[in-house]
Amino acid sequence: MHLMDVHALIHAFLQQKTIDSLVSVPPELHDEQYTKAGVVPFVIEDGQFRFYFMKPVSKRPDRGEPNLQICKGTRMHQSANKGWVDMKEDKQNNGEQETLVVTAIREAIEELGLKLECIGRMMDVGPYRFSSEKTGNSKRMWLFALEMANTHDVLPASQIEPSTAERGWLSLEEFAMVGRADHRYILRDIATKLAGHYKA
């Protein structure tokens, strides 16, 4: 699907949704200071949270296979010369820019194969730091938690980005054992926020 069509679908979808904020960071800081956004889809089964992750295709096979991790990506903006491109590819940022939530949902469609009609409650869970796999430097991303209708109604692998090697649903405990190391504390914190939100 063309990126313009994806953006139109996401904007129409978001007009029908309310996003609950589970953080106290002022919203005006979002767009100015963050270039990466992502999603943590989840279901509640038998009173327990299960979360959906992706494993990217390895860009450095000599370093081994990546672990399952939180789906995230770089915000895009519309360049006069190149169309929609990653913000890091064109520093001028003069055209229309994706908001953090649009980036997060677009990545969820492209890399996880989420269907918009299967997304229920949406929660803004805020900013987190992680380590760049290329440089090891600390980076920041903004995340949104998405309650899904079920674990199986997602797009087939043939309809998602080829950069995704694998997808999987894991409990907090399972992710603590096999998930990307610098994402484990993030999931623990999000699980705590969600548990508090659903008890309130």
Side-chain angles (χ1 to χ4, degrees):
M1 185 181 295
H2 193 276
L3 193 53
M4 291 292 289
D5 296 330
V6 172
H7 280 147
L9 286 173
I10 294 172
H11 284 294
F13 166 76
L14 289 173
Q15 287 177 359
Q16 308 299 318
K17 304 296 286 189
T18 298
I19 303 175
D20 297 325
S21 178
L22 306 190
V23 292
S24 58
V25 178
E28 58 268 20
L29 295 181
H30 296 200
D31 286 352
E32 294 295 328
Q33 300 185 13
Y34 289 82
T35 61
K36 289 189 176 291
V39 293
V40 180
F42 68 94
V43 294
I44 303 174
E45 295 180 340
D46 300 322
Q48 301 295 317
F49 292 106
R50 292 183 64 79
F51 304 92
Y52 201 34
F53 303 99
M54 59 84 67
K55 179 187 293 187
V57 172
S58 177
K59 295 180 181 178
R60 293 289 304 273
D62 56 306
R63 294 187 178 180
E65 190 175 299
N67 293 331
L68 284 165
Q69 57 192 261
I70 292 170
C71 173
K72 66 182 184 326
T74 304
R75 290 173 63 195
M76 303 184 82
H77 77 274
Q78 199 164 24
S79 165
N81 300 324
K82 303 176 184 177
W84 284 96
V85 296
D86 283 358
M87 293 177 76
K88 63 185 179 184
E89 293 181 20
D90 187 340
K91 303 297 185 182
Q92 295 182 14
N93 295 351
N94 291 325
E96 179 186 351
Q97 297 183 19
E98 289 181 333
T99 62
L100 289 167
V101 69
V102 168
T103 299
I105 298 297
R106 175 178 55 76
E107 292 291 336
I109 295 170
E110 293 175 352
E111 296 189 348
L112 288 173
L114 294 195
K115 298 179 180 180
L116 292 177
E117 64 269 23
C118 294
I119 298 174
R121 297 174 71 177
M122 298 179 61
M123 271 97 14
D124 179 343
V125 291
Y128 291 94
R129 287 195 172 273
F130 67 100
S131 299
S132 168
E133 288 194 307
K134 291 181 181 178
T135 65
N137 294 336
S138 178
K139 291 190 173 184
R140 300 183 299 179
M141 61 181 169
W142 202 278
L143 295 177
F144 298 85
L146 312 176
E147 184 175 8
M148 305 304 297
N150 55 63
T151 60
H152 60 268
D153 196 6
V154 294
L155 296 173
S158 61
Q159 294 183 32
I160 65 173
E161 290 294 315
S163 55
T164 296
E166 185 180 325
R167 298 172 288 175
W169 288 93
L170 298 174
S171 67
L172 176 63
E173 293 75 16
E174 290 168 336
F175 190 75
M177 297 174 62
V178 302
R180 179 169 156 171
D182 62 329
H183 288 191
R184 294 174 191 173
Y185 91 92
I186 298 173
L187 190 66
R188 286 196 303 270
D189 187 69
I190 290 174
T192 298
K193 288 176 179 175
L194 290 175
H197 183 66
Y198 278 81
K199 286 179 182 177

